[in-house]
Amino acid sequence: MKLYNTMSRRKEEFVPTEPGKVKMYVCGPTVYNLIHIGNARPMIVFDTVRRYMEYKGYDVNFVSNFTDVDDKIIKKANEEGVTTKELTEHYIEECKKDMAGMNIKPATTHPLATQEIPGMIDMITTLIEKGYAYEKNGSVYFRVRKFSRYGMLSGKNLDELESGFRVAVDDEKEDPLDFVLWKPKKEGEPYWESPWSEGRPGWHIECSVMSKKYLGGEIDIHAGGEDLIFPHHENEIAQSEAANGETFSKYWMHNGFLNIDNRKMSKSEGNFFTVREISEVYDLQVLRFFMLSAHYRNPLNFSRELMESAKAGLDRIITAVKNLDYLAQNAKEFEDEKKDAVAAELAAYTKKFEDAMDDDFNTADAISVIFELVKYANTTINESNSKEVVTMVADQIKKLSDVLGVITEPKEELLDADIEALIEERQAARKARNFARADEIRDELKAKGILLEDTREGVKWKRA
Ligand code: AMP
Ligand code: ZN
């Protein structure tokens, strides 16, 4: 299995630090809002990497954090008149709901920054003791020039970087390149006690600490979106390697960016979607399928047309599985003379699928192989085949789709009359001001692919 290592800028054979095991850390979202479809890309991509590793027999320890303290969180909590804890707990729950909709497996551990402050204080103390960090007026900074390998991930040159600092130099730092590890609190901000001040950690230190605590010294894969290469991952490497005296991560993986209608996603320009908004229009399986239709390192353009084409593609697979399941139910058990030939075909498709995935997780090609397999099933498997043969083919499509985290089981279909009855019950619940029950019915319908729209003329519904 080969993967592209951002550190070496080439595809390398994957050799884990410990046989049979994969220790993987993915930088998670900052939780002050519903996640947007850009945040969903690394979640889907690296969940697929994890699933493929598991399919290959590796025992994967997958850690992904939630950043639950930072400037944006504090600002939003103040605007909403809630505590940062209330705000982040709410959005973590919402994020987990979106993840479930996209069929993303929960991480082995989902650590929270605010729960790991003592570990961060320990690592910062070590960095000061080793001369890699210094305290100034209650703040602690990392001494970038002391870490000679700084810039190795992003390929940045320190002198060029330094000349890029046109803004007034922050005189507290010894060098404008230095970055903050700990900062004193400002009025109204959450804070923790530390040897330097009542304050809070800088952003980068949390990942270094959590990665070491939950995965150990040298890990196998550290991942995130390409915007994290610099400065976040560069700073994580500096902190971890300076403190621990060993390589931080053997491989570095980064996904390309998601754009909308060929423009950078931006709230102010109005081309911005949350995963929740997409779920009002599409089953989130379609979003997952769409994300995997491109190679993870390439930029990906989101548009209505591409989502429609992903929906049609996914439907083709689901319909094939449905037809095969129906055939299998009615098929007879007998010695099918075609069994060996079908088994050989399936093995060939599996090999092709694995070759695509082994080549730096080429999910676009892997999906093409599933389509070829579907075509093969549609054109050669029929009533003349035995139950065993039909089931073998159906299972193969399900298995390969499952490696990509794509669910092929058809959704349990509700009859129109059942839907109308539930909508009536929801209206009655609303009248009785039982909003919890009303929301529950809405969610139940949504889970079965029925979308409700409250209009002036009453409730309208459609199948997603
Ligand atoms: P954040 O909440 O901004 O820290 O981002 C969480 C994750 O989402 C990081 O791995 C980012 O690199 C990734 N990310 C943010 N925006 C996009 C985007 N438009 N396309 C792809 N990945 C993104
Ligand atoms: Zn991180």
Side-chain angles (χ1 to χ4, degrees):
M1 186 183 352
K2 281 197 158 69
L3 57 81
Y4 182 89
N5 189 352
T6 310
M7 185 63 89
S8 63
R9 289 174 189 75
R10 56 183 182 83
K11 286 183 198 169
E12 291 178 30
E13 190 61 36
F14 178 70
V15 184
T17 53
E18 250 184 272
K21 295 200 168 149
V22 178
K23 290 169 275 179
M24 182 164 180
Y25 186 100
V26 181
C27 292
T30 308
V31 278
Y32 64 102
N33 242 329
L34 289 173
I35 57 163
H36 59 67
I37 54 175
N39 300 137
R41 191 172 188 196
M43 288 179 177
I44 292 171
V45 161
F46 298 117
D47 177 65
T48 306
V49 168
R50 171 196 189 168
R51 285 171 182 268
Y52 187 61
M53 297 270 190
E54 286 174 348
Y55 165 81
K56 286 267 189 162
Y58 288 107
D59 174 10
V60 184
N61 190 349
F62 188 99
V63 176
S64 190
N65 63 311
F66 286 114
T67 298
D68 63 346
V69 58
D70 99 323
D71 291 342
K72 288 176 285 209
I73 292 174
I74 295 170
K75 185 165 172 267
K76 182 88 186 288
N78 285 341
E79 281 166 11
E80 295 198 355
V82 293
T83 63
T84 51
K85 189 162 185 284
E86 284 164 342
L87 183 88
T88 54
E89 275 177 355
H90 171 72
Y91 284 116
I92 288 170
E93 278 318 302
E94 296 306 315
C95 177
K96 286 185 176 169
K97 282 187 205 161
D98 288 338
M99 286 169 71
M102 296 184 286
N103 199 26
I104 291 165
K105 288 185 173 191
T108 316
T109 316
H110 273 297
L112 305 181
T114 56
Q115 303 298 309
E116 308 289 342
I117 307 283
M120 298 192 218
I121 292 175
D122 284 351
M123 190 177 272
I124 297 171
T125 305
T126 304
L127 288 170
I128 294 176
E129 281 165 8
K130 291 191 169 183
Y132 285 102
Y134 56 94
E135 189 257 344
K136 200 74 192 271
N137 305 326
S139 289
V140 182
Y141 295 99
F142 188 93
R143 196 172 265 135
V144 166
R145 283 195 187 268
K146 164 106 179 157
F147 184 71
S148 60
R149 298 190 299 285
Y150 195 85
M152 62 183 165
L153 182 70
S154 55
K156 295 212 185 271
N157 168 300
L158 292 198
D159 295 326
E160 276 171 21
L161 261 183
E162 185 127 32
S163 67
F165 281 93
R166 266 170 287 133
V167 278
V169 172
D170 190 343
D171 41 342
E172 214 177 64
K173 296 187 203 169
E174 290 174 2
D175 185 320
L177 287 176
D178 296 349
F179 62 88
V180 73
L181 297 169
W182 186 267
K183 49 189 166 193
K185 67 172 182 198
K186 291 198 202 99
E187 193 55 39
E189 288 185 351
Y191 66 90
W192 288 265
E193 300 289 338
S194 83
W196 318 289
S197 60
E198 287 179 340
R200 63 188 162 98
W203 168 36
H204 316 294
I205 193 77
E206 68 183 68
C207 294
S208 287
V209 168
M210 295 171 186
S211 177
K212 185 173 180 202
K213 176 167 169 186
Y214 296 101
L215 296 172
E218 183 181 356
I219 69 165
D220 298 298
I221 301 174
H222 196 110
E226 65 185 6
D227 58 322
L228 299 186
I229 297 174
F230 185 85
H232 186 53
H233 287 165
E234 198 72 72
N235 291 355
E236 284 183 18
I237 294 171
Q239 295 161 163
S240 292
E241 300 196 357
N244 307 336
E246 59 184 325
T247 304
F248 181 33
S249 179
K250 196 167 174 189
Y251 304 94
W252 289 84
M253 293 179 74
H254 295 97
N255 63 273
F257 252 47
L258 179 87
N259 298 317
I260 299 189
D261 293 327
N262 290 313
R263 284 184 303 151
K264 193 170 184 284
M265 201 155 97
S266 138
K267 239 183 189 162
S268 55
E269 290 199 33
N271 59 338
F272 178 95
F273 293 111
T274 60
V275 170
R276 199 58 59 86
E277 283 166 330
I278 298 303
S279 79
E280 303 289 337
V281 186
Y282 294 98
D283 184 325
L284 289 180
Q285 281 298 297
V286 176
L287 184 66
R288 181 169 187 124
F289 197 72
F290 158 75
M291 295 271 187
L292 296 178
S293 65
H295 191 273
Y296 75 90
R297 280 193 286 121
N298 291 340
L300 174 60
N301 189 44
F302 180 94
S303 71
R304 184 93 194 187
E305 294 77 58
L306 291 170
M307 281 295 281
E308 285 300 321
S309 121
K311 183 170 188 282
L314 183 58
D315 280 348
R316 203 158 10 123
I317 301 173
I318 293 175
T319 306
V321 169
K322 202 162 137 185
N323 291 342
L324 288 168
D325 282 348
Y326 181 77
L327 264 184
Q329 269 171 22
N330 299 297
K332 307 235 159 29
E333 316 236 18
F334 62 93
E335 255 335 295
D336 190 333
E337 60 184 20
K338 300 219 185 73
K339 185 179 156 190
D340 290 347
V342 172
E345 283 286 340
L346 294 185
Y349 285 119
T350 303
K351 164 91 174 55
K352 229 172 147 185
F353 178 92
E354 290 180 5
D355 286 348
M357 293 298 280
D358 282 343
D359 182 16
D360 192 29
F361 307 96
N362 193 334
T363 53
D365 282 1
I367 287 176
S368 303
V369 176
I370 298 181
F371 282 145
E372 284 173 34
L373 175 55
V374 161
K375 190 165 171 206
Y376 168 75
N378 289 344
T379 50
T380 46
I381 304 299
N382 54 40
E383 292 81 1
S384 71
N385 295 108
S386 69
K387 198 182 199 83
E388 188 189 7
V389 164
V390 178
T391 308
M392 225 160 69
V393 177
D395 285 352
Q396 190 67 4
I397 300 177
K398 290 177 196 171
K399 188 172 161 195
L400 298 186
S401 303
D402 185 58
V403 175
L404 302 177
V406 171
I407 300 171
T408 49
E409 297 297 329
K411 285 231 155 81
E412 194 190 315
E413 287 216 351
L414 281 180
L415 297 172
D416 288 7
D418 297 334
I419 298 168
E420 308 281 354
L422 278 167
I423 291 176
E424 250 173 53
E425 193 191 335
R426 177 167 170 264
Q427 294 303 82
R430 283 173 133 199
K431 254 199 195 129
R433 305 191 69 75
N434 183 355
F435 296 114
R437 176 64 189 145
D439 286 349
E440 203 176 276
I441 294 172
R442 187 191 191 100
D443 291 347
E444 191 182 321
L445 285 168
K446 196 167 135 195
K448 296 196 168 129
I450 308 299
L451 304 174
L452 302 187
E453 197 191 345
D454 294 308
T455 70
R456 261 186 237 144
E457 296 85 48
V459 182
K460 291 198 172 141
W461 65 269
K462 62 174 182 191
R463 293 181 197 271

